[in-house]
Amino acid sequence: MEDVFKQESVSELKGRVQRAKQVIVTAHRSPDGDAIGSSLALQHLLSCLNVSSQVVMPDGYPDFLTWLPGQDGVRFHDADPEGCDTALLGADVVFCLDYNAPSRAGGLGSAVATAASQADTFVVVIDHHQQPEDFADLLLSDPSTGSTAELIYRLVLAWGMADDIHADMASCLYCGLITDTGSFRFPSVTPRTHAMAAHLLGTGMDHSKVHSLIYDACRLDQIRLTSYALGQKLQVFPEYNSAIVSLSLEELERFNAQKGDTEGLVNRALSIEGIRFAVFVKEDVDRVKMSLRSTGTFSVRDVAATHFNGGGHHNAAGGACPGESLDSVVARLIGLLPTYASQLQNEG
Ligand code: 5GP
Ligand code: MN
């Protein structure tokens, strides 16, 4: 994995950002804790080099992430498309964090693709998803790493800036770390992950407070929606060790759902004894969105990529079906289970 962060390329990158007049940091559509945490951590890191930067997100993120140090300065493409596109196209360096294809950046995607084709904009991808598209000038990708936050930390070390990590930067990195590793429980966690956490805690950041801000800030409506989804909408297919939960727009509106309210649902379905494959299917205004999770050898990335225009990681992936009804997507999913029967029935 050291070859991903070749000293020569990271040193060149450091020189480029120090010479840059405009640096933009972007992440994927519907930013999660890793996307926004890594972006703000990188912004803090660049500040330590006296490099000012602008974080631009395709759209908003859930309320449980709005405490992150530095987030007041974030700009959102869906609120100001022209302004954000202009900023991106005028940048000397554009960072693409936690995604590996322009299409994953939603409304920002075309500006990212154009920036990548411009000779005077240096586009850098720092990401941990499999099979990156070939669009960046520099690709720092390691799919074996559990979070993009860990790759930002690796960049900090490669730039010789370990001592520059302050408590605010550490909180942003820690947010990415815990949200993408299920609080240190996924197989992607290594001794290196814990060594990073130890370093972050040593900066004086309040890890317990970060956990509370992220996980103990549920609205009552959200708890009721979760109860409804698990109580009324969970379908279990024991013969395929699979579980599916789906929610329509009407149901989401009935419970006054907000961004992020359904984030943990798919993991609850996966936590059922014996379940190896869980999917949460959600109706959106312009598409049906899916979150897929598995344990062991069953690849939800393959399922998402083959059938639902998606991708992600081996055990955690997503997909999107524009122009298809919720019922049709769920029916298609149920229809697929027999084709995966042997993989789902084997212990993996
Ligand atoms: P989540 O279910 O938490 O939204 O996403 C799980 C993983 O799949 C994340 O790593 C995310 O980046 C990826 N992912 C989610 N939705 C999509 C999608 O529509 N396309 C692709 N390629 N990846 C996705
Ligand atoms: Mn991530």
Side-chain angles (χ1 to χ4, degrees), residues 28 32 98 100 104 128-129 180 263 266 287 289-293 308-313 316-320:
H28 57 77
D32 57 11
D98 206 33
N100 61 10
R104 290 280 299 127
H128 66 136
H129 294 91
D180 257 31
E263 212 145 283
V266 68
R287 58 185 187 160
K289 189 81 188 81
M290 314 168 69
S291 283
L292 301 92
R293 299 290 185 273
F308 301 106
N309 317 303
H313 309 286

Side-chain angles (χ1 to χ4, degrees), residues 284-327:
D284 221 331
V285 186
D286 57 342
R287 58 185 187 160
V288 173
K289 189 81 188 81
M290 314 168 69
S291 283
L292 301 92
R293 299 290 185 273
S294 65
T295 58
T297 54
F298 186 65
S299 170
V300 284
R301 198 193 70 80
D302 289 352
V303 178
T306 310
H307 302 285
F308 301 106
N309 317 303
H313 309 286
H314 180 82
N315 291 133
C321 305
E324 189 174 351
S325 73
L326 179 69
D327 288 348

Side-chain angles (χ1 to χ4, degrees), residues 134 210 218 226 267 283:
D134 181 16
V210 171
C218 299
T226 303
N267 293 317
E283 187 180 21

Side-chain angles (χ1 to χ4, degrees), residues 28-45:
H28 57 77
R29 179 177 178 177
S30 301
D32 57 11
D34 192 30
I36 184 66
S38 296
S39 299
L40 292 171
L42 178 61
Q43 183 173 54
H44 287 300
L45 178 68

